[in-house]
Amino acid sequence: MAASEIDHADWAAYLLAGADERREVQAITKQIDALPIDDAYAIQAALLELMLGRGDTLAGAKLGLTSAAKQEQMGVDEPVYGWVPAASVLPATGDVALDGLIHPRVEPELVFRLGSDLAGPGVTVADVFDATAEIVGGIEVIDSRYEAFSFTLPDVIADNTSAARVAIGTDGIAPGEADLTTLGCVFEIDGAVTGTATGAALLGDPAACVAMLANHLGKHGQKLEAGWIVMAGAATDARPLGVGTVATARYSHLGSVTVQGV
Ligand code: 0L1
Ligand code: MG
């Protein structure tokens, strides 16, 4: 199939069926000649439309692949963004039911909760601070719908950047209360440290990641909205979440977030 003939709604339904039926699907790029990035985001938008059409609402947006650790783990070299459905948001501590997921992994996230809209172009780090009500820690559960968690950049964009669940911490700080570039995270699986990082691992500054997303969305007439959460991306690589696995992200200034696979 040539790129110009890509049916975005069809591919979105293909990915959603994989998620619904809890089965891996073949990467789109293994089935067509080329998947341009714009088409990949169009599939992602169609996927979101399907989810919202079922009664879900939008809780926010996410960045992915904003750290060297994640880019190296997944073999891709640029950041991506996706959407956070409200049904995917979990409390700071608790169980993650694995019976609805395919091959989940967990990763720590810095999360911005917006108090006012952020509309690009021209959004700066100072604007992000002005628009942010609080910054909290989180753990994202990612779950690629693709076979063996393996994909190219356009594939993962189409698949809403592997978004599946996110547990959001409660010990937030106001912007400016701590230096986000030196804010630390220790990520543990079953009590063993698997990764450590500071906010600077996220393209130098987590707030700059959020500004980048607002500016990118602004080019397409979209904005980050008041009340949304915006995930800046993982600073460490992601780890498998199995039944009984306990994942804890301990943040300086932001308390801890713990999830357990059940
Ligand atoms: O949130 C993320 O970093 C996901 C980006 C997509 C790559 C992946 O599935 O790890
Ligand atoms: Mg993530």
Side-chain angles (χ1 to χ4, degrees):
M1 185 187 292
S4 57
E5 293 163 11
I6 294 169
D7 186 326
H8 305 134
D10 259 16
W11 285 114
Y14 168 79
L15 290 166
L16 192 58
D20 284 349
E21 293 159 25
R22 201 190 169 204
R23 59 176 168 78
E24 300 177 323
V25 297
Q26 193 178 41
I28 299 171
T29 53
K30 289 194 173 150
Q31 304 175 63
I32 60 176
D33 294 342
L35 180 58
I37 296 292
D38 284 352
D39 285 281
Y41 276 113
I43 295 170
Q44 184 195 90
L47 181 56
L48 178 67
E49 208 174 304
L50 289 177
M51 291 190 269
L52 300 184
R54 292 169 159 192
D56 208 342
T57 53
L58 194 52
K62 59 167 282 187
L63 282 147
L65 307 174
T66 47
S67 68
K70 281 285 304 196
Q71 291 187 1
E72 279 159 25
Q73 182 181 30
M74 303 320 300
V76 295
D77 58 7
E78 50 183 284
V80 291
Y81 71 90
W83 304 104
V84 182
S88 70
V89 179
L90 305 174
T93 301
D95 296 341
V96 178
L98 301 183
D99 60 0
L101 301 172
I102 304 166
H103 39 202
R105 295 178 180 179
V106 277
E107 59 188 22
E109 293 274 345
L110 284 179
V111 184
F112 291 69
R113 194 185 297 280
L114 298 185
S116 52
D117 289 358
L118 263 179
V123 171
T124 63
V125 165
D127 296 329
V128 172
F129 275 33
D130 286 346
T132 298
E134 64 170 352
I135 297 146
V136 293
I139 292 181
E140 184 180 19
V141 182
I142 52 172
D143 191 26
S144 173
R145 268 51 69 169
Y146 297 121
E147 288 168 345
F149 226 112
S150 170
F151 42 69
T152 64
L153 190 73
D155 285 310
V156 73
I157 289 168
D159 188 29
N160 197 26
T161 62
S162 307
R165 307 281 185 272
V166 59
I168 305 284
T170 49
D171 297 332
I173 56 167
E177 222 173 289
D179 176 1
L180 297 183
T181 64
T182 57
L183 192 145
C185 175
V186 176
F187 194 49
E188 296 173 7
I189 298 291
D190 296 332
V193 175
T194 62
T196 59
T198 59
L202 302 173
L203 297 177
D205 181 350
C209 298
V210 176
M212 181 183 71
L213 179 56
N215 288 325
H216 178 80
L217 292 176
K219 287 188 204 150
H220 302 278
Q222 294 173 291
K223 64 183 178 184
L224 299 173
E225 296 186 15
W228 281 11
I229 54 171
V230 182
M231 292 151 60
T236 72
D237 57 357
R239 297 291 166 144
L241 183 72
V243 173
T245 303
V246 177
T248 300
R250 298 184 198 283
Y251 295 94
S252 60
H253 308 284
L254 305 179
S256 296
V257 177
T258 298
V259 297
Q260 175 167 1
V262 294

